[in-house]
Amino acid sequence: GAGVSQSPSNKVTEKGKDVELRCDPISGHTALYWYRQSLGQGLEFLIYFQGNSAPDKSGLPSDRFSAERTGGSVSTLTIQRTQQEDSAVYLCASSFNTGPYEQYFGPGTRLTVT
Amino acid sequence: GENVEQHPSTLSVQEGDSAVIKCTYSDSASNYFPWYKQELGKRPQLIIDIRSNVGEKKDQRIAVTLNKTAKHFSLHITETQPEDSAVYFCAASSYNFNKFYFGSGTKLNVKP
């Protein structure tokens, strides 16, 4: 079946603009995770969803970052008033359930803030 | 919370040699330990995983060992090939914390 998809694949925006990143998880996966990966760096946890609720938002870097998930499926990550330090690849992953289940990653969205 | 440390950060080996990457974790509740391979510009992909009820798992040239007492687990790649060159991430998870804690990654370079 189809894997995790993300859109857009690339986004260039001006500093101060808002951006929305989209993630379509594998059908039937109840858990969805967002990570940020700066160039040559590791995976920085941002937030995860169990169904439509987000029990752990501890990784969101600031209040400019927010995320939602509707219908237990698609999720959007919104970054308001983007800054240059927000430039990174944003990865989404989904799994059958939260906890010790394999995560399947999407291809990522490369965000560049100029 | 859980803390996962990964070593080395870079590893260079000759084609045909073995490579070993080690991770330690802090929370004894962790019971699932996957390894992901990320090629340049690509998404991370699971290559092997192990659960806490076993000590070793093998899949062709790749193996993972787990020492629950010492709280460390290792990835072993034998007969390395140039296509093994990538960044490898270890991770730990459990039902207790519902998310994954990733190591900082190891960049493996296999020289032909």
Side-chain angles (χ1 to χ4, degrees):
Chain A
V4 179
S5 61
Q6 293 184 246
S7 61
S9 55
N10 279 284
K11 177 72 177 177
V12 180
T13 190
E14 291 181 352
K15 177 182 173 181
K17 302 279 189 182
D18 297 352
V19 295
E20 277 192 359
L21 313 180
R22 177 187 169 108
C23 172
D24 279 273
I26 292 172
S27 177
H29 280 191
T30 61
L32 187 149
Y33 303 79
W34 283 98
Y35 298 92
R36 180 168 71 175
Q37 189 172 37
S38 299
L39 189 62
Q41 300 300 308
L43 297 164
E44 178 188 3
F45 168 79
L46 298 179
I47 188 171
Y48 83 89
F49 289 88
Q50 174 58 43
N52 292 334
S53 63
D56 189 344
K57 304 179 182 179
S58 62
L60 294 177
S62 73
D63 58 9
R64 296 187 294 105
F65 288 72
S66 62
E68 65 174 12
R69 188 180 186 196
T70 55
S73 182
V74 171
S75 175
T76 54
L77 177 70
T78 301
I79 308 174
Q80 296 179 309
R81 305 181 302 281
T82 51
Q83 304 294 312
Q84 287 187 330
E85 60 262 30
D86 300 333
S87 296
V89 175
Y90 289 82
L91 289 161
C92 170
S94 72
S95 64
F96 172 73
N97 205 339
T98 53
Y101 296 93
E102 179 181 353
Q103 291 194 353
Y104 297 82
F105 283 85
T109 294
R110 181 176 297 279
L111 175 66
T112 303
V113 182
T114 60
Chain B
E2 175 62 280
N3 181 46
V4 177
E5 295 190 352
Q6 184 172 346
H7 301 280
S9 56
T10 59
L11 179 60
S12 189
V13 300
Q14 205 67 40
E15 181 178 359
D17 287 351
S18 295
V20 180
I21 303 170
K22 298 181 180 180
C23 288
T24 61
Y25 62 99
S26 60
D27 195 325
S28 57
S30 290
N31 61 1
Y32 176 62
F33 307 93
W35 285 89
Y36 285 83
K37 176 184 180 181
Q38 187 177 29
E39 297 177 20
L40 190 62
K42 301 288 183 62
R43 74 188 79 186
Q45 293 199 306
L46 181 76
I47 54 170
I48 195 167
D49 56 11
I50 192 167
R51 296 188 183 272
S52 59
N53 57 344
V54 297
E56 184 175 7
K57 185 176 178 180
K58 289 184 180 179
D59 183 3
Q60 300 182 333
R61 297 186 297 108
I62 294 172
V64 57
T65 58
L66 170 65
N67 184 326
K68 288 189 294 182
T69 303
K71 296 195 187 70
H72 66 72
F73 56 110
S74 300
L75 177 70
H76 305 254
I77 306 174
T78 58
E79 301 171 18
T80 53
Q81 301 167 2
E83 51 265 37
D84 294 329
S85 295
V87 177
Y88 292 81
F89 292 99
C90 65
S93 183
S94 88
Y95 288 107
N96 285 24
F97 27 86
N98 284 333
K99 65 183 185 183
F100 282 58
Y101 291 85
F102 281 88
S104 54
T106 296
K107 184 174 182 179
L108 174 64
N109 179 38
V110 180
K111 296 177 287 186

